Amino acid sequence: MTPALPWRLLRHLLLMSGAVIYLLPFIWMLSTSFKPADEIFREGFHLLPRHWAAVENYTRALTDVPLLRYLWNGVVVCAGILLLQIVVSLPAAYCFAKLQFRGKRLAWGLVLLSLMIPFQATAIPLYILFYHVGLLDTTAALIVPFIASAFGVFLMRQYFMGVPDDLIHAARLDGMGEFELVWRVMMPAAMPALIAFAIFSVVWHWNDYFWPLLVINTTDLATPPLGTMFFKNEEAGTDFGPLMAGTVIITLPLLLFFLSAQKRFIEGVTLSGVKG
């Protein structure tokens, strides 16, 4: 046994232990979605049920409340936010990375400062503003506050800093304007970082419970986490089997999305982090 082997085993053991700790709530959620009501609070630690109720629980999760409607609302909101964030973040990041203009350092400092302000601190002023303009209880209320993403500008700017200036000069010599250069040259070059940002954005807004709870009252406009609350209320908080089945269904799209883009996500985060 080589001297390095024990350390490698210890490292893998620690990593696997951490993975189990993080995955245990999800494993328990999946296990609960398979159990009938009388087994969920049975004494002892039992992952597998004695009597399987998976079909019943998942059928009720899809029929007792309009869960598919909530999922579609989540897709519309997340896609709308991501598309508008890209439209705003890419040109802004290009300006901060490759252009020189008066007040650049101050503007960049304000972008970094906004990263330190939690959204909850601005939620009540935004709520009052949306009330006065009549946007409460609309899809726009779920999308508009997140159009400008300081994190998106920061991540894209870090990646753009590593794009060679010669590539930009060559595009300008070919007659490209600045906006055309952003979308035809910079965006394809920054695709790994863009995919990484897309994962961050979709996961954050798909799981967002705080803001939809404030601005949405209509059940038909509920996003997946808010729809789970409606399901729980309708079941009086006692029938946890269908509730956990619904939560598994809500979580599954995020898992598939991340697994499909995992390689590009890691590449985008690592390459964006080393640019000064």
Side-chain angles (χ1 to χ4, degrees), residues 197-214:
F197 172 68
I199 292 176
F200 279 118
S201 176
V202 170
V203 170
W204 173 264
H205 296 293
W206 184 274
N207 292 328
D208 187 16
Y209 176 76
F210 174 76
W211 182 244
L213 181 64
L214 285 181

Side-chain angles (χ1 to χ4, degrees), residues 158-159 192 266-275:
Q158 296 300 100
Y159 200 93
I266 297 173
E267 180 184 352
V269 171
T270 53
L271 292 179
S272 298
V274 298
K275 307 297 186 298

Side-chain angles (χ1 to χ4, degrees), residues 89-90 93 97 108 111-112 115 149-161 190 192-201 265 267-275:
S89 297
L90 258 67
W108 181 242
V111 171
L112 296 180
L115 285 171
S149 171
F151 175 73
V153 175
F154 173 79
L155 188 67
M156 293 297 108
R157 183 258 185 188
Q158 296 300 100
Y159 200 93
F160 286 165
M161 291 291 289
L194 194 61
I195 293 175
F197 172 68
I199 292 176
F200 279 118
S201 176
F265 171 77
E267 180 184 352
V269 171
T270 53
L271 292 179
S272 298
V274 298
K275 307 297 186 298

Side-chain angles (χ1 to χ4, degrees), residues 44-242:
F45 185 84
H46 304 280
L47 280 178
L48 296 178
R50 295 177 180 174
H51 305 285
W52 290 78
V55 175
E56 178 186 353
N57 289 339
Y58 281 87
T59 300
R60 290 190 56 191
L62 292 169
T63 56
D64 286 4
V65 295
L67 187 60
L68 294 179
R69 173 71 180 185
Y70 302 154
L71 294 173
W72 174 248
N73 291 341
V75 171
V76 171
V77 170
C78 291
I81 290 174
L82 179 60
L83 179 62
L84 293 173
Q85 284 179 337
I86 292 173
V87 169
V88 173
S89 297
L90 258 67
Y94 171 73
C95 291
F96 283 119
K98 296 300 182 181
L99 300 182
Q100 298 298 326
F101 55 90
R102 183 177 298 177
K104 177 180 176 180
R105 291 177 62 87
L106 176 61
W108 181 242
L110 293 175
V111 171
L112 296 180
L113 178 63
S114 66
L115 285 171
M116 295 182 283
I117 301 175
F119 176 76
Q120 289 77 5
T122 61
I124 300 304
L126 278 173
Y127 179 88
I128 296 173
L129 174 64
F130 280 27
Y131 170 78
H132 286 294
V133 298
L135 287 179
L136 290 180
D137 204 26
T138 63
T139 303
L142 297 172
I143 296 176
V144 172
F146 307 102
I147 290 176
S149 171
F151 175 73
V153 175
F154 173 79
L155 188 67
M156 293 297 108
R157 183 258 185 188
Q158 296 300 100
Y159 200 93
F160 286 165
M161 291 291 289
V163 176
D165 291 338
D166 292 343
L167 179 64
I168 297 174
H169 296 328
R172 287 171 178 163
L173 290 175
D174 286 340
M176 286 190 185
E178 298 299 329
F179 278 101
E180 187 180 8
L181 194 152
V182 169
W183 302 112
R184 294 186 60 185
V185 177
M186 301 300 285
M187 186 176 73
M191 194 56 65
L194 194 61
I195 293 175
F197 172 68
I199 292 176
F200 279 118
S201 176
V202 170
V203 170
W204 173 264
H205 296 293
W206 184 274
N207 292 328
D208 187 16
Y209 176 76
F210 174 76
W211 182 244
L213 181 64
L214 285 181
V215 298
I216 295 300
N217 296 319
T218 304
T219 305
D220 289 341
L221 295 176
T223 55
L226 193 60
T228 302
M229 185 197 72
F230 292 151
F231 180 89
K232 184 178 178 182
N233 286 343
E234 292 188 12
E235 296 300 326
T238 56
D239 206 349
F240 287 97

